[in-house]
């Protein structure tokens, strides 16, 4: 039993962390300013939204699901917050933030209920809501942009606040990381998530309602997407239909690179955090070493593909050990 | 229990939409208008055919639009060096085939789950297109290249439509009237049992991925020829529309179930609905709400009726 609970992925997380550090060292060898505390803090700030989203996505992936609608949810919730702030600029910023989280939670719960009650495959449901939510941003905003001059100062400044050198956004990501690690390891919900992803039948026999756990995972994922909707709109000081379009793939990529298995039940908060930082460092290093940002997507593709091959190999050895013979 | 086959439902929906479109515009039931409308679905349907086979076999490929972009860039670069039309076709097909083979290798040799593998290669293929082109546009296609996407086979039947009909006939033969097709259903229903029954499961999978790549190459030729230019963003978001066509066509994402007829009808239905909404000046982004809702409704309605009837069992 100890083998099951000791994380077999610890070596893999260590390797990925070393790779990330090596990357920072290599870049800063030519551009020493990259490793300065200020610059690294910027990288963290730039990666924070990815980290927050990745923890939501990881929960869903752990329960054998996938949430493709995350970026559309983010855009819609961000637009809701921005429109609310434009209409009622004198209200406290807490109001649009709460509204964004509420909107995200409801949109996530919609995915979750369909998956839970109707047992629909999550890939189909979220493929559908990816289009629906994105289209609703356009309908809601009538295709217009909400620009920074239409947003109130507190609405814009909150994410820009700095404490002890790190941005509010970074602190939020750190809090989320601690929270994710704690929830997954020490709460009943967290253990249920692994149980459902690892073996839904066994989980059912143990009295766990797999569908309900999946639904909760989607709801949490939606709530985080909603929060990030506000954060994104505030950080980039603009809301429009195409906000964060395609970002769901980067989030999924960060999870996969961080060792979360699409087959469910395997993954850790630490791994996913390192996966996000790895992508974040690459993204911020590219323009420095003079590589056009047009290369970003291709490099991500290479990284995801390599990570997928390595993950698959790791999973295969475990399966072999249990089953001895692998029929397919 | 079921009153109608799914294909019949799709056909009725298609007829209803055609009727609706004719109310929207008096010019809709004109041979040339209808001929124009087919461009809404021909290229996507050509990719949806092999993708349907792949999904029936229990796999998925979401890198198809990335393959289209990569093949289009390859042809564009070659055209810039004065390569002739026939060679351009060969380059487009080869690029598609190689990209499909890469997916097939990842799934069969490296045992990567197909959704993960093709999320990776989707970024890889489109990312390569972006890395090569950046914000440039490739245009130097020879005049004879235009025939595939802009020409007519006979009367108002476009070259694209004629090609789709031929490929669809081949797909029907392959899936519904051949041993190969029975093998696909068997693998989708139970891959392990199929392997133990002596089916070369991985060989099937590899062939299907390669085929999907090849057909994406064909779609790239048609689309590039129709547009007359290549940007790295070509066919952006098509993977979702093509997967939607396959699912709307009644193919089960869990594998083992689905027909080519359903997929063809779904492609036509989506195409004509989009064309009709276009007649109403509905923006494309709003159409995506309709498509998304349709996609969920298709899987939710049968599940809902089963739920009502209390026939939901633990899977």
């Amino acid at each position: 039993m100890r083998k099951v609970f000791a994380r077999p992925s610890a070596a893999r997380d260590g390797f990925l962390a070393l790779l990330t550090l090596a990357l920072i060292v290599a870049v800063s060898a030519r551009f020493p300013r990259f490793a300065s505390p200020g610059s690294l803090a910027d990288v963290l700030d730039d990666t924070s939204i990815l980290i927050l989203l990745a923890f939501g996505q990881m929960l869903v992936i752990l329960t054998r699901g996938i949430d493709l609608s995350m970026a559309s949810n983010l855009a819609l919730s961000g637009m809701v917050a921005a429109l609310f702030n434009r209409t009622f600029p004198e209200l406290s910023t807490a109001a649009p933030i709460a509204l964004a989280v509420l909107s995200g939670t409801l949109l996530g719960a919609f995915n979750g209920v369909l998956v839970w009650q109707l047992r629909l495959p999550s890939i189909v449901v979220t493929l559908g809501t990816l289009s629906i939510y994105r289209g609703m941003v356009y309908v809601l905003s009538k295709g217009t942009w909400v620009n920074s001059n239409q947003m109130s100062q507190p609405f814009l400044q909150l994410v820009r606040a700095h404490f002890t050198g790190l941005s509010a956004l970074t602190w939020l990501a750190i809090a989320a990381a601690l929270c994710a690690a704690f929830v997954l390891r020490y709460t009943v919900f967290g253990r249920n998530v692994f149980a459902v992803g690892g073996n839904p039948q066994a989980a059912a026999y143990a009295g766990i309602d797999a569908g309900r756990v999946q639904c909760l995972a989607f709801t949490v994922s939606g709530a985080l997407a909603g929060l990030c909707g506000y954060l994104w709109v505030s950080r980039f000081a603009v809301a429009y239909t195409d906000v964060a379009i395609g970002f769901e793939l980067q989030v999924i990529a960060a999870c996969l690179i961080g060792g979360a298995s699409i087959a469910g039940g395997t993954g850790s908060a630490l791994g996913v955090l390192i996966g996000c930082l790895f992508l974040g460092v690459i993204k911020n290093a590219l323009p420095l070493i003079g590589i056009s940002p047009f290369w970003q997507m291709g490099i991500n593709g290479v990284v995801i593909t390599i990570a997928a091959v390595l993950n698959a190999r790791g999973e295969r050895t475990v399966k072999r050990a249990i089953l001895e013979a692998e029929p397919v | 229990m079921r009153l109608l086959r799914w294909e019949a439902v799709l056909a009725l929906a298609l007829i209803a939409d055609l009727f609706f479109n004719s109310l929207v515009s008096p010019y809709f039931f004109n041979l040339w208008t209808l001929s124009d409308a087919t461009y809404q679905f021909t290229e996507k349907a050509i990719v949806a055919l092999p993708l349907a086979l792949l999904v029936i076999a229990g796999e998925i490929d979401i890198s198809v639009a990335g393959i289209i972009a990569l093949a289009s860039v390859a042809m564009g670069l070659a055209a810039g060096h004065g390569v002739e039309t026939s060679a351009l076709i060969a380059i487009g097909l080869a690029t598609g085939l190689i990209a499909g083979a890469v997916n097939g290798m990842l799934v069969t040799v490296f045992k990567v789950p197909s959704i993960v593998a093709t999320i990776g290669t989707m970024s890889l293929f489109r990312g390569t297109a972006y890395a090569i082109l950046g914000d440039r546009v490739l245009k130097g296609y020879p005049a004879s290249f235009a025939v595939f996407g802009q020409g007519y086979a006979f009367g108002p039947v476009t070259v694209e439509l004629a090609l789709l009909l031929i490929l669809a006939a081949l797909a029907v033969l392959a899936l519904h009237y051949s041993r190969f097709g029975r093998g696909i259903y068997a693998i989708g229903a139970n891959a392990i049992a199929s392997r133990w029954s002596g089916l070369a499961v991985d060989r099937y999978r590899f062939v299907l991925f390669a085929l999907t790549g090849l057909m994406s190459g064909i779609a790239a030729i048609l689309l590039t020829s129709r547009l007359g230019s290549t940007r790295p963003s070509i066919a952006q978001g098509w993977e979702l529309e093509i997967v939607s066509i396959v699912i709307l066509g009644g193919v089960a994402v869990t594998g083992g179930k689905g027909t080519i007829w359903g997929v063809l009808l779904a492609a036509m239905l989506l195409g004509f609905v989009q064309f009709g909404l276009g007649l109403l000046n509905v923006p494309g982004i709003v159409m995506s709400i309709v498509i998304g809702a349709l996609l969920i409704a298709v899987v939710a309605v049968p599940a809902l009726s089963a739920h009502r009837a209390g026939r939901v069992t633990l899977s």
Side-chain angles (χ1 to χ4, degrees), chain A residues 3 15 29 60 87 113 144 164 186 202 208 226 228 239 253 273 285 303 319:
Chain A
K3 266 270 154 66
F15 173 73
V60 175
T87 320
V113 167
T144 59
T164 63
Y186 296 108
I208 302 166
C228 289
L273 177 66
V303 172
K319 217 188 282 171

Side-chain angles (χ1 to χ4, degrees), chain A residues 84-109:
Chain A
F84 184 82
N85 181 250
R86 188 176 73 180
T87 320
F88 306 104
E90 68 288 349
L91 280 182
S92 149
T93 309
I97 295 178
L99 202 60
V101 175
L102 178 70
S103 145
T105 310
L106 291 177
L107 297 175

Side-chain angles (χ1 to χ4, degrees), chain B residues 88-143:
Chain B
L88 286 181
I89 303 302
I91 288 170
L93 294 178
T95 312
L97 187 63
I98 292 168
V102 168
N103 285 333
M105 286 275 284
L106 285 171
V107 172
T108 56
V109 179
F110 295 101
K111 306 285 178 203
V112 182
S114 56
I115 172 124
V116 178
T118 56
I119 281 178
T121 53
M122 167 191 178
S123 304
L124 183 64
F125 297 150
R126 189 171 293 280
T128 309
Y130 268 105
I132 293 171
L133 275 196
D135 50 6
R136 288 188 301 138
V137 186
L138 297 173
K139 276 184 178 166
Y141 291 100

Side-chain angles (χ1 to χ4, degrees), chain A residues 70 90 132 160 167 169 171 183 192 204 209 239 243 247 252 275:
Chain A
M70 240 187 161
E90 68 288 349
I132 297 175
R160 288 172 177 73
S167 69
L169 213 52
W171 283 111
V183 166
N192 284 353
D209 185 342
V243 156
F247 200 69
I252 294 168

